[in-house]
Amino acid sequence: MPETAKLSSKFQISIPKAVREAQGWKAGQTFAFIPKGTGVLVVPVPRRDDLKGLAKGANPADYRDHADRF
């Protein structure tokens, strides 16, 4: 059975410890809530430092520009 939590009267949810530990989430981390059908995806927002070097080696020559749209 998946981990569960209740929504408090202040509209807060505590993420179960097993889930936090499995995902490596820490206190103070920022999350995005993405509506998906009748549910919501909860995903951590990456820090700028985590994105550094992500596109290293990418070829900008084939980048699609807005000028080629209809």
Side-chain angles (χ1 to χ4, degrees):
M1 176 184 244
E3 297 285 339
T4 62
K6 283 188 178 180
L7 183 64
S8 76
S9 60
K10 294 183 179 184
F11 298 98
Q12 297 172 332
I13 295 176
S14 292
I15 300 170
K17 185 176 182 180
V19 174
R20 292 190 317 259
E21 289 179 346
Q23 296 298 319
W25 294 342
K26 304 291 181 199
Q29 197 169 355
T30 303
F31 290 84
F33 294 80
I34 303 168
K36 186 80 170 175
T38 60
V40 176
L41 295 175
V42 179
V43 295
V45 175
R47 296 176 310 171
R48 184 175 290 194
D49 291 344
D50 295 337
L51 300 175
K52 188 183 287 185
L54 184 67
K56 187 176 183 178
N59 182 1
D62 291 329
Y63 181 73
R64 181 176 179 224
D65 194 359
H66 293 282
D68 66 348
R69 295 186 182 176
F70 298 108

